[in-house]
Amino acid sequence: MLDVIRPGDARYPSVQHVYVATGSPAAVIRPRSAAEVPEALALARAKDQPIAIRSGGHGISSISTNTGGVVIDLGALNTVERLHDQHVRIGPGARWSGVARALYPMGLAISSGDSGDVGVGGLATTGGIGLMGRAHGLTIDHLTAAEVVTADGCTVRASRSDHPDLFWGLRGAGANFGIVTSFEFRAAPTPSVVQATVAYALPDVAGFLQRWGHVLETAPREVSAFLYLIGGPTPFAQATVVFAGDDTAAAADALEPFVRLPGVVRQRAQLVPYASVPLTTNATHTGQQAAVTHTGLADHLDPDLARATAVLLRGGAADMVQIRSAGGAINDVPADATAYAHRHQNFSVTAVTTGDRAAFADAWRPLRTLMDGIYLSFESDHQADDVLRAFPAATLARLRELKLRWDPDRVFTQNFDVSLKA
Ligand SMILES: Cc1cc2nc3c(=O)[nH]c(=O)nc-3n(C[C@H](O)[C@H](O)[C@H](O)COP(=O)(O)OP(=O)(O)OC[C@H]3O[C@@H](n4cnc5c(N)ncnc54)[C@H](O)[C@@H]3O)c2cc1C
């Protein structure tokens, strides 16, 4: 019998919310195995209510919970198994910290993102801009196959040879086509990395950003870096810079330009297991991070974008701006090879606020015009306009055809529904 948690159940408070939102679903169905997922979906469909799919519950768009609808929570499908050599199979409910810890003794790692609390299901169906991204590509670039329960309740395997069209769509717009119950990846043989943390005081945010952009774009591709900027009267930034490998001499050379940038107030670098890189709290979800984000991708941190980012931070409408490196191996993949089609940009720029949403949207607008597409996993909004920015026209046309074939009744309308038209 399916495990269904409804209001009044003592377990309900621990499953109703997600990280960025509170929710009050009518039922949370928790399959214990992939075999139970078709039954869970049939039950959810019979209710004729909104259906949310949840893996780790860390979705930025907050739609892995709802009000009055049904949630299918895949948290129990969290195994990490080695298949052979570098090939592993991972459940959608695993968290990236758990994945990294399980892969380390195997001498393997998969680049995911900075948060170890993020679930495999949400990230591996959209992209995965991680701290080894310039060296290894996106997380989805390592996906070799996925098992999916489609809208009609069938379980299908998608890979380059099985339903290649579905496999293409899953890698960037996965939430549109079904419920992924397992992911197979070819992991990388990079269990250890050199991780540096550098803090900067930023009297001149715009000038710093241009220099940061140049240093990053000219760094060897073993280097990936995420920069977190805080505004206010004395703006500052903290960077996490990762050299994907254990060659400490090469790492020292590669990291040196980052500590030669102006304003360094603290620095530290060490050889660490990659498993310690994704930060984790393992906290129960209570909607604790009630933040909204706006995001965009950019080729370069050019003077206009750097100045606009400085103005945004100075104005106070954003609590933080995060600038993640893309580029490198991410851009080796042809734009039409996966539904994630942004293969020429070098940076992902995301602003976050817990404050006034309208003021934040106004303050973000000047940056939006300087951006070239969005990575959907960093955007809170998911209206038609956002869908158009997440997928270039040719990609979107192909996704809409796929949607008609695999989900003609529009069961899966969460997370950037490609059917939405402006
Ligand atoms: C603190 C924080 C840090 C982050 N850092 C990064 C980062 O560095 N790099 C990066 O790339 N991303 C990052 N993200 C974004 C993250 O990748 C997405 O929010 C992702 O969707 C979260 O996955 P989840 O499984 O936890 O989400 P959930 O909330 O469980 O799911 C989000 C959505 O994904 C879809 N989905 C989930 N599971 C499945 C499934 N099994 N099959 C089909 N569709 C599914 C559903 O539509 C769901 O609404 C970060 C997010 C947070 C909150």
Side-chain angles (χ1 to χ4, degrees):
M1 206 166 89
L2 282 174
D3 183 18
V4 183
I5 302 177
R6 297 191 172 83
D9 188 311
R11 298 170 299 166
Y12 184 76
S14 67
V15 296
Q16 68 185 109
H17 309 303
V18 288
Y19 182 59
V20 303
T22 53
S24 48
V28 178
I29 310 175
R30 294 208 301 181
R32 298 178 194 85
S33 66
E36 285 191 348
V37 174
E39 196 187 340
L41 180 59
L43 181 63
R45 287 197 68 170
K47 301 269 181 219
D48 202 20
Q49 290 164 336
I51 301 174
I53 310 301
R54 180 188 302 164
S55 286
H58 256 57
I60 300 275
S61 51
S62 76
I63 45 184
S64 55
T65 191
N66 56 35
T67 300
V70 180
V71 174
I72 298 178
D73 184 330
L74 303 162
L77 278 59
N78 61 359
T79 51
V80 181
E81 318 155 58
R82 188 175 205 160
L83 297 173
H84 59 87
D85 306 310
Q86 289 168 230
H87 292 265
V88 295
R89 183 191 292 130
I90 304 178
R95 308 296 183 92
W96 287 106
S97 56
V99 173
R101 281 199 305 272
L103 296 186
Y104 179 69
M106 303 175 197
L108 299 173
I110 300 174
S111 179
S112 55
D114 53 3
S115 166
D117 291 330
V118 163
V120 169
L123 183 139
T125 47
T126 54
I129 296 179
L131 278 160
M132 295 197 289
R134 289 180 78 243
H136 296 168
L138 298 174
T139 309
I140 55 167
D141 298 336
H142 295 268
L143 193 66
T144 57
E147 195 174 84
V148 190
V149 174
T150 54
D152 56 6
C154 292
T155 300
V156 301
R157 182 178 168 82
S159 68
R160 278 184 216 290
S161 48
D162 310 292
H163 303 298
D165 58 342
L166 179 60
F167 186 54
W168 172 83
L170 287 178
R171 288 172 295 159
N176 277 275
F177 305 113
I179 305 173
V180 181
T181 54
S182 75
F183 297 86
E184 292 177 27
F185 294 98
R186 185 174 191 274
T190 315
S192 299
V193 300
V194 176
Q195 179 179 18
T197 308
V198 191
Y200 303 92
L202 300 181
D204 171 15
V205 173
F208 175 85
L209 283 179
Q210 286 172 70
R211 293 176 75 165
W212 171 267
H214 176 73
V215 165
L216 194 43
E217 285 190 50
T218 52
R221 58 167 57 191
E222 284 87 354
V223 173
S224 302
F226 290 5
L227 184 70
Y228 309 88
L229 300 119
I230 308 286
T234 52
F236 66 96
Q238 174 145 324
T240 301
V241 190
V242 168
F243 179 92
D246 56 8
D247 181 340
T248 49
D253 287 347
L255 297 177
E256 199 192 345
F258 292 90
V259 291
R260 283 225 227 102
L261 284 165
V264 172
V265 289
R266 204 176 55 244
Q267 50 161 304
R268 175 195 169 103
Q270 53 189 340
L271 181 65
V272 294
Y274 173 75
S276 73
V277 172
L279 297 172
T280 182
T281 65
N282 287 321
T284 302
H285 290 148
T286 56
Q288 60 265 57
Q289 185 60 30
V292 294
T293 62
H294 293 311
T295 194
L297 293 157
D299 286 2
H300 312 290
L301 300 183
D302 60 31
D304 287 346
L305 181 54
R307 270 194 297 272
T309 306
V311 171
L312 176 72
L313 277 167
R314 203 165 46 237
D319 301 339
M320 185 200 276
V321 171
Q322 308 171 343
I323 301 186
R324 289 173 169 84
S325 56
I330 295 174
N331 292 354
D332 289 345
V333 177
D336 62 357
T338 60
Y340 179 100
H342 304 296
R343 300 294 187 165
H344 60 89
Q345 298 90 334
N346 289 303
F347 299 95
S348 155
V349 181
T350 304
V352 186
T353 189
T354 49
D356 185 303
R357 291 177 182 215
F360 179 53
D362 286 345
W364 174 257
R365 205 158 289 126
L367 278 88
R368 187 178 154 143
T369 58
L370 302 170
M371 298 290 187
D372 179 7
I374 60 173
Y375 168 43
L376 63 82
S377 265
F378 287 142
E379 178 59 55
S380 296
D381 289 345
H382 41 94
Q383 305 307 315
D385 187 38
D386 307 297
V387 173
L388 291 176
R389 290 193 301 135
F391 304 107
T395 308
L396 188 55
R398 200 170 155 190
L399 285 169
R400 284 180 175 156
E401 277 177 33
L402 270 186
K403 181 80 174 163
L404 285 175
R405 199 171 332 143
W406 289 99
D407 184 20
D409 300 333
R410 293 186 61 217
V411 174
F412 304 109
T413 54
Q414 309 294 294
N415 228 16
F416 288 70
D417 176 1
V418 295
S419 329
L420 289 178
K421 299 226 163 104

